[in-house]
Amino acid sequence: MKVLLLNGSPKEKGCTFTALSEVGNALNREGIETEFAYLGAGPVRDCIGCGQCNTKHAGCIFTDDGINDVIAKAKEADGFVFGTPVYYAHPSGRILSALDRIFYAGKSAFLHKPGAAVASARRAGTTASVDVLNKYFTIAEMPVVSSSYWNMVHGNRPEEVLQDKEGLQVMRNLGRNMAWLLKCIEAGKKQQIAPPENEYGEKTSFIR
């Protein structure tokens, strides 16, 4: 079993990476493999609603910023942790642009797989940021993994995050809870308990 840890910060080894690493270490201790995906510091396109990913095109039609690479990694993963820094009490623009495209073009790679969101901030805005990222999970029919408190760490630099003892504890508990849920899902598969076959196709619009 493998969990994909998506770093939505332009800083590859910054505070968000520090938080994700604590989750990843806890997963590894529970026997779960982890892989990091870094969106980079370059530009990430917004979704333009072209609809090509829902027709003949496999993945997102734009191939110049690594989004299709993340979708490919998602197909091989069993669970996900999305990490973001806080910008103006909101997730980073790059992770939102990336997730809009990743979920439009690759939603099937996430269906019924557990996910969790982690936010890193100097001081505040973390709960709002986690709430935004959680919505991707709920729309994709993904179990949302919780911890023993809000999934957040505080600090302006990685060394300050390492002083947030409660935040690090929350990250470790998140990793343990993710590992437990993955093992429960695996046990269910062995008992031939299949995911639900849900209904699709209805799109009600009240504008006539």
Side-chain angles (χ1 to χ4, degrees):
M1 291 178 284
K2 181 167 68 176
V3 171
L4 184 65
L5 305 162
L6 179 64
N7 184 358
S9 170
K11 298 177 181 178
E12 186 174 7
K13 303 291 185 180
C15 296
T16 303
F17 172 80
T18 304
L20 290 172
S21 295
E22 196 74 7
V23 180
N25 290 337
L27 284 162
N28 294 156
R29 287 191 290 271
E30 295 292 330
I32 306 297
E33 183 184 350
T34 53
E35 181 180 3
F36 277 87
Y38 173 52
L39 295 176
V44 177
R45 293 175 181 268
D46 289 335
C47 178
I48 63 170
C50 66
Q52 293 300 305
C53 59
N54 292 319
T55 56
K56 61 183 179 180
H57 195 275
C60 183
I61 194 170
F62 298 111
T63 59
D64 57 351
D65 54 10
I67 293 301
N68 286 324
D69 293 336
V70 177
I71 294 173
K73 292 178 185 293
K75 292 177 180 178
E76 302 301 320
D78 302 290
F80 306 90
V81 183
F82 298 157
T84 183
V86 173
Y87 296 163
Y88 292 92
H90 208 60
S92 71
R94 75 179 47 253
I95 196 169
L96 294 182
S97 293
L99 291 179
D100 282 351
R101 291 168 56 204
I102 288 167
F103 274 81
Y104 268 118
K107 180 179 177 180
S108 61
F110 297 89
L111 189 66
H112 299 135
K113 298 178 182 179
V118 166
S120 166
R122 182 188 67 83
R123 187 171 179 85
T126 44
T127 51
S129 297
V130 168
D131 179 63
V132 171
L133 296 187
N134 279 344
K135 291 179 172 64
Y136 289 93
F137 305 135
T138 57
I139 292 174
E141 303 177 53
M142 300 169 67
V144 180
V145 182
S146 60
S147 185
S148 49
Y149 199 63
W150 306 115
N151 299 344
M152 59 185 67
V153 296
H154 292 88
N156 202 38
R157 298 185 302 275
E159 55 267 30
E160 292 178 355
V161 171
L162 293 175
Q163 297 177 48
D164 182 6
K165 300 302 183 184
E166 184 177 10
L168 296 177
Q169 175 181 266
V170 169
M171 296 300 107
R172 292 191 295 272
N173 289 338
L174 178 61
R176 294 184 187 110
N177 286 347
M178 172 72 79
W180 171 76
L181 183 53
L182 287 170
K183 292 173 184 178
C184 288
I185 293 172
E186 185 69 16
K189 290 178 180 178
K190 292 179 180 178
Q191 295 297 318
Q192 298 183 332
I193 300 174
E197 295 183 6
N198 290 328
E199 302 176 31
Y200 304 99
E202 296 292 346
K203 292 186 177 181
T204 301
S205 174
F206 295 99
I207 300 174
R208 296 288 185 264

